[in-house]
Amino acid sequence: MSPETTSRAFGLEEPAAPKRTRFEEFWRLFRRNRMALAGLVIFAFFFGSAVVGWVLTSGNRPLFDPALVRLQEKLRPPLATPQATSLKPEERPVGGRYLFGTDDLGRDVFARMLQGAWVSLTVGFVAVGISVAIGIFMGGLAGFYGDRRIRLEQLLVTAVLLAGASLLTAGWRASGAWMLVLGHAWLFWSISPWGIRCRKSLPAGLRFLRKNTLMVDTLIMRFVDIMLCFPSFFLILTVVALLPASIYNIMIVIGLTSWEGTARFVRAEFLSLREQDFVSAAKALGVGNLRVIFRHMVPNAIAPVLVSATLGVASAILTEAGLSFLGFGVPPPHATWGNILSDGKRFIFDAPWLTFIPGAAILIVVLSFNLFGEGLRDILNPRLRERQ
Amino acid sequence: MNVDAMNAPQEVVLSVEGLRVYFRNEEEVARAVDGVDFEVRRGETVCLVGESGCGKTVSALALLGLLPRPPGEIAGGRVRFCGDDLLDRDEEALQVVRGRRIGMVFQEPLTSLNPVFTIGEQIAEPLRVHLELPESQIRQRCLQLLHDVGIDSPEQRLAAYPHQLSGGQRQRAMIAMALACGPELIIADEPTTALDVTVQAQILSLMNRLQHAHDMSVLYITHDLGVVSQIADRVYVMYAGVIVETGAAQPVLRNPRHPYTRALLDSLPNRRKRGRRLYSIPGSVPHPAYKPAGCPFHPRCPRAIDACREHFPGMCVFDDGQVARCPVAAGRKLTDWCRS
Amino acid sequence: MLAFIGRSVIQKIVTLFFVSVVSFAIIHIAPGEPSQVDPLNPKFTPEMVERFRQAFHLDRPLYVQYAFFYRDLLTGNTVSWKDNQPVLHKIGERFFNSLPLFIVGTLITWTVSFPVGIRSAIFRGGAYDRSATLLSYVLISIPGFFFAYMLIIFVVGQFQVPVIGMQTFGMTDTPWFFRLNDRLWHMLLPSMLGATGGIAVLSRYVRSQMLEVENQDYVRTARAKGLPWEMVHYKHALRNALLPFVTMFGLILPGLIGGSVIIESIFSWPGLGRMAYEAILARDYPVILTINFIAAVLVLIGTFVSDILYVIVDPRIRL
């Protein structure tokens, strides 16, 4: 068997499985998952109406004015035509009907729902953006640099800086400022050439400062444990109640309190990826750490993060609605789905649409995110994929 | 090895005719097993050989109804075990055969044993279900079985969990489980692949001994031609879901007729080939959903002619009674190329 | 084993210490002070505020306040800023109001989720599985307060029974079985609502665990041994799928406080969640911190119990 004969034989056109790119493969599996597809369609619709709603309800003379009070037109059912003849032309609803009715102040519920859609969308995405960013950072640190040890001096500087910052915010201006200055001075000194030279000939009494203490991984994961000790809704409620009412505070607080899951995923994923051959190969080729992380590891770790982010948007929207319902968060004239429902609960038997329209809207949007996220999970999970 | 038993006509324990197993999804049909015939006679050891993915394990699972369905489906064929058809049976009727009359040994003993039950419990189960023995006898029988498969201090091993045993001991326990009810046939699916070579030899001789002691038939599935030469009476070589060659083990291994079997043997290292470059088969096994037309092996075959691309070759009987699916090797005319 | 227990107890205590520091810091560093809650209240004269600040050490540095607070908490002497009642006593009272809701809710959750999840997994892809899946997604996605109102409208409209509060006002003189019936009706909705989210999540989790296990080689071995269907699924598969749930027994403890804020305030149920909500509104820091501390202790005890249970059930883990 000479190479020629085999290669000629091999040259016969050979039918092979069709080659697909990763995205085509993904899309092929995704289309089959009807629930996930439905989730995506609803989400696209929700996204569109939130953006359109934002355009139509903002500005000086919006097409739909969510804050326009028409006291003579209160609690009109959905699809009602305006009755009062005293309405000024600019107070009449677009299309001559109240699509979703009006509330107890005669405000157009459709306009308020549009405004609320934008709130839900931004809260969901910004909060999850924050939590995913923190989660990837913390999880990545713990997973990649986890076995490094922290020196005592580093801990001390951090403690001094933190204490200074908290004293400053708590009102002890002078002592706080002093500690901050001290901490920064120490930092700059230690990275200055003079400091580095000094470090090698440290007097025996100060040598304990360079002692290794904790591992990075221990520090971060214990911190995660600490965060998990707080019941999350209770914690969010407490912090939101203490801070001045604003939608940005809600986003930040939800983001800051929900990153633990992502951090754990990313850490676990990084720990297993770090042992894989292609990472060792990249390192053996002299690829830098950052490039290894972002080029080789993050793309492989992204699947579970994507899934948990999608589900996270759903739960952030629910949390925001719950906060609005309890009367915290976005200040009153601004409409959110939660506070439309909360305002409407007093008229639950007289004007059920004030409860059902926002309730159903939240349900549908959250459902779409959950369906989409679970669909993603099924598709991205290689073990489930094999079974198909 | 039981070469002279070959000549005497024997009762056929298991016969498989035209078995087809397809895996279907919305877009493609993977024909994992595409018309397979083989038979196992009483007391003999039959080997089913082939590369991974050629459908040997799927055939074995299909005939006991153990395929995951969906996506797998049995698209045709007949499986006769001691005269009655197994494919006709529903799940409940199959349960009477499984474990009692056909025992099965799997490849990976660690994952094939349930981690949360003791070895004793797992061996006792088929005894309890099929033979309905009283508890006192079950314990005796379990000890006897463990002793038979060569596990020392069986008393303690009965109470051990799978993770507490070594790989070889686990596989012995699996074999004890398969033997528990005294089956007529044992199907062993690559039972030694996950084990060290020394342990592999022990397990092979153990199976050989047990087979003669209990007068069982063995269907042994493997990719390892070395194992085949040690234990097989007869051998079936599979490629891409079809049988390509069959015959008594020694003649097939000594003088393979099908180019695929020859290529497999050529790619084995041995003493005579020392110092020469080892042969490897060009190309790769076709995807079961996109098999080439004609002979499935033709894209990789050094002896392929134009006709191989168009016609699916039938089985050809060679002068010495060997059978291979290659009319080219048999020197047939194009007109004889119908399916057998 | 002893070393493991000792190590994890120490670890949990250290964690608890940091939790106490963090929660104290969050509360006290946030802008605003309890003494400023109600500036319009005529009783809050500057002298009153000053007295108040002194009585609760608010004029001392934070770390001193911290020490005072946790000394009081650990000796059981913390008092509420709102009404000067001992906090532990108040919490104890509310705790026993929340407990029945929690127990009934947990029982409903576990007794419904397991059969549903297991059945879904065994008949995966079938009509039952698909409808259970869709229903669980709906239950996860529905806002609790919206669902609560739907149920209230339904129950009040259909059965004409009062459901708000723990009992109907003025029922104290009636015979015990009327009172019991009344109590049960009042308990039904809140505990069901408490269970819905749990049912949805847990049944999905049971299903995925079960699916995972059903695909394992040892389940195939069990079938190859000719075991009957029930033994394959309910003995070999289920026993393995149950392992992770043992740990969840420990994790349900914290649910006692966390999940009930909204439901208890809708139903005016005088439980722990509602108390926490009221305390937040009134900036009653001792109550907030104490509830938080207890929640953290419950979480830590829960994880500890889970770890121990897991070691006991899984023969593969030996310490």
Side-chain angles (χ1 to χ4, degrees), chain C residues 81-160:
Chain C
W81 285 352
K82 209 167 83 184
D83 49 12
N84 262 326
Q85 297 284 315
V87 172
L88 287 181
H89 177 71
K90 277 174 80 168
I91 288 182
E93 206 174 290
R94 295 299 189 97
F95 174 77
F96 285 106
N97 290 339
S98 277
L99 197 60
L101 280 192
F102 171 74
I103 292 175
V104 175
T106 310
L107 282 181
I108 297 178
T109 307
W110 286 67
T111 46
V112 174
S113 316
F114 273 88
V116 171
I118 292 167
R119 215 179 131 81
S120 284
I122 294 177
F123 302 105
R124 60 176 164 280
Y128 182 87
D129 179 29
R130 273 180 296 168
S131 42
T133 302
L134 188 65
L135 187 67
S136 69
Y137 284 139
V138 171
L139 288 183
I140 293 174
S141 311
I142 197 163
F145 46 91
F146 176 52
F147 197 32
Y149 282 117
M150 285 182 16
L151 284 182
I152 289 174
I153 291 179
F154 176 70
V155 170
V156 173
Q158 290 293 310
F159 305 103
Q160 316 289 339

Side-chain angles (χ1 to χ4, degrees), chain B residues 154-186:
Chain B
E155 298 270 349
Q156 284 129 53
R157 295 305 176 204
L158 271 188
Y161 287 95
H163 69 274
Q164 293 165 325
L165 303 184
S166 70
Q169 282 177 319
R170 278 183 215 130
Q171 197 57 287
R172 286 170 196 265
M174 273 296 284
I175 294 172
M177 248 162 66
L179 282 178
C181 300
E184 287 138 90
L185 172 68
I186 290 224

